[in-house]
Amino acid sequence: MSRIAYVNGRYLPWAKASVHIEDRGYQFSDGVYEVCEVRGGRIIDERRHTTRLRRSLDELRIAMPMSEAALAVVMHECMRRNRVRNGIIYLQITRGVARRDHGFPPAGTRPSIVVTARNLDFAGNERIAAEGIAVVTVPDNRWERVDIKSVSLLPNVLAKEAARARGAKEAWFVDRDGHVTEGSSSNAWIVTMDGKVVTRPADHGILRGITRTVLIEAIAAQGLKLEERPFSVAEAYGAREAFLTSASQVVMPVVRIDDHPVGNGAPGSVATALRARYHDHAEAT
Ligand code: PDD
């Protein structure tokens, strides 16, 4: 089946879907993005993703190129036209096309918008979750505003590649104090030996993941105790469980950190239960 992308007002076949060489996303990574999960032909937590998108745009003073209602229509249309049942929607908005100049382009420059959708290997992801994944730790060398979901992802790209080179699926960034901030494309969590679920507070040091926000509700509903505080790499090595969250991976058990098995080296019961119950708490549209 040929894929379709939404590009600046038009649904285009994949081969024709392109942006201008002077798009500021291409030249300066001057833009933001969102990734939403699609499950059973419905978009998960669309409202929360749109709210975060608006916040990212506001922080960078990029105008929203269309109403939220129109954006919802485009996202559903991309899902439908690409026959996505279980997968992701990717959405990117940049400051638009203008002659290369670091400062903002002239007032009235239209932001660029691209929306794509694709299926993911649902059964394959479940198999990976049943086994758990390995993560490695790397120094957090990103800027201070990683709370903005910007397409400027070079440290994340290098971190992910470092993970792959070491046979792992994700890299966890570590700040100067030895505390884990988050993953290269996910939020990081541990479960302590006495059963408390720990994740870093969503200040400017991490992206406030939508999966993270919804999972906090699921944790309360399951009667688990949550601690929002920084945790060290040493604490993670000695944790009973570890896991990560993101729209595309939902709750993914972590069974090895660097060369240390986590717990007994298999996915933990808390992570497994939270993965199973996540969608009871998420919105589907
Ligand atoms: N990544 N932290 C970072 C750095 C991320 O890139 C992501 C998401 C998250 C989790 O956010 P959410 O739960 O809203 O997906 C945390 C997306 C999926 C990506 O880059 O593909």
Side-chain angles (χ1 to χ4, degrees), residues 33-36 49 52 88 90 142 146 149 153 156 170 173 182-188 206-213 245-250 278:
Y33 75 107
E34 279 295 330
V35 177
C36 299
H49 281 280
R52 184 173 67 185
I88 51 168
Y90 177 83
R142 301 174 299 162
V146 295
K149 202 162 169 60
L153 289 170
N156 309 59
E170 178 61 303
F173 286 120
E182 62 180 333
S184 73
S185 63
S186 57
N187 288 122
I206 65 165
L207 180 75
R208 187 187 292 271
I210 303 301
T211 321
R212 177 189 181 282
T213 299
T245 56
S246 78
S248 54
Q249 301 187 86
V250 196
Y278 178 82

Side-chain angles (χ1 to χ4, degrees), residues 55-72:
R55 176 182 180 278
S56 296
L57 289 169
D58 286 350
E59 290 290 329
L60 299 179
R61 289 180 281 152
I62 298 174
M64 183 84 159
M66 60 174 71
S67 70
E68 285 181 19
L71 184 59

Side-chain angles (χ1 to χ4, degrees), residues 16-115:
K16 296 244 160 64
S18 52
V19 294
H20 196 274
I21 55 164
E22 285 203 302
D23 191 281
R24 291 181 62 95
Y26 178 61
Q27 295 196 326
F28 299 114
S29 29
D30 188 359
V32 303
Y33 75 107
E34 279 295 330
V35 177
C36 299
E37 184 196 6
V38 175
R39 191 180 162 96
R42 319 262 297 272
I43 302 176
I44 304 303
D45 293 320
E46 180 193 321
R47 183 183 55 85
R48 289 185 175 94
H49 281 280
T50 306
T51 302
R52 184 173 67 185
L53 173 70
R54 186 175 279 286
R55 176 182 180 278
S56 296
L57 289 169
D58 286 350
E59 290 290 329
L60 299 179
R61 289 180 281 152
I62 298 174
M64 183 84 159
M66 60 174 71
S67 70
E68 285 181 19
L71 184 59
V73 170
V74 170
M75 289 167 72
H76 281 87
E77 193 59 17
C78 279
M79 176 172 73
R80 193 185 66 75
R81 290 190 189 219
N82 290 287
R83 297 202 195 121
V84 178
R85 293 283 308 161
N86 296 298
I88 51 168
I89 292 180
Y90 177 83
L91 185 166
Q92 175 170 326
I93 296 173
T94 74
R95 206 180 299 278
V97 175
R99 194 186 68 193
R100 188 174 185 280
D101 173 5
H102 288 64
F104 285 4
T109 303
R110 266 188 307 126
S112 303
I113 174 164
V114 167
V115 182

Side-chain angles (χ1 to χ4, degrees), residues 38-285:
V38 175
R39 191 180 162 96
R42 319 262 297 272
I43 302 176
I44 304 303
D45 293 320
E46 180 193 321
R47 183 183 55 85
R48 289 185 175 94
H49 281 280
T50 306
T51 302
R52 184 173 67 185
L53 173 70
R54 186 175 279 286
R55 176 182 180 278
S56 296
L57 289 169
D58 286 350
E59 290 290 329
L60 299 179
R61 289 180 281 152
I62 298 174
M64 183 84 159
M66 60 174 71
S67 70
E68 285 181 19
L71 184 59
V73 170
V74 170
M75 289 167 72
H76 281 87
E77 193 59 17
C78 279
M79 176 172 73
R80 193 185 66 75
R81 290 190 189 219
N82 290 287
R83 297 202 195 121
V84 178
R85 293 283 308 161
N86 296 298
I88 51 168
I89 292 180
Y90 177 83
L91 185 166
Q92 175 170 326
I93 296 173
T94 74
R95 206 180 299 278
V97 175
R99 194 186 68 193
R100 188 174 185 280
D101 173 5
H102 288 64
F104 285 4
T109 303
R110 266 188 307 126
S112 303
I113 174 164
V114 167
V115 182
T116 59
R118 70 181 169 99
N119 280 299
L120 292 179
D121 178 5
F122 190 75
N125 285 344
E126 289 306 316
R127 277 196 299 278
I128 292 169
E131 286 187 3
I133 63 160
V135 305
V136 297
T137 58
V138 295
D140 197 337
N141 54 359
R142 301 174 299 162
W143 72 326
E144 295 83 47
R145 294 306 310 276
V146 295
D147 57 304
I148 301 170
K149 202 162 169 60
S150 141
V151 292
S152 191
L153 289 170
L154 199 43
N156 309 59
V157 167
L158 296 175
K160 188 77 90 188
E161 194 54 32
R164 281 194 192 150
R166 290 162 63 186
K169 279 227 157 53
E170 178 61 303
W172 278 6
F173 286 120
V174 179
D175 68 14
R176 290 212 186 108
D177 302 323
H179 292 127
V180 174
T181 54
E182 62 180 333
S184 73
S185 63
S186 57
N187 288 122
W189 308 68
I190 57 168
V191 181
T192 61
M193 282 299 174
D194 58 355
K196 293 189 186 109
V197 184
V198 183
T199 198
R200 192 184 177 98
D203 49 23
H204 285 181
I206 65 165
L207 180 75
R208 187 187 292 271
I210 303 301
T211 321
R212 177 189 181 282
T213 299
V214 173
L215 199 71
I216 287 173
E217 284 177 25
I219 287 165
Q222 294 202 11
L224 295 164
K225 197 151 173 48
L226 173 76
E227 280 182 0
E228 280 186 270
R229 61 163 173 85
F231 61 87
S232 68
V233 175
E235 190 179 4
Y237 288 161
R240 191 163 86 189
E241 294 185 31
F243 61 92
L244 55 79
T245 56
S246 78
S248 54
Q249 301 187 86
V250 196
V251 176
M252 181 58 74
V254 170
V255 295
R256 186 160 60 85
I257 303 172
D258 296 327
D259 293 324
H260 302 259
V262 179
N264 64 2
S269 56
V270 170
T272 304
L274 289 174
R275 181 178 178 86
R277 308 263 35 122
Y278 178 82
H279 293 93
D280 298 350
H281 302 274
E283 292 172 5
T285 54

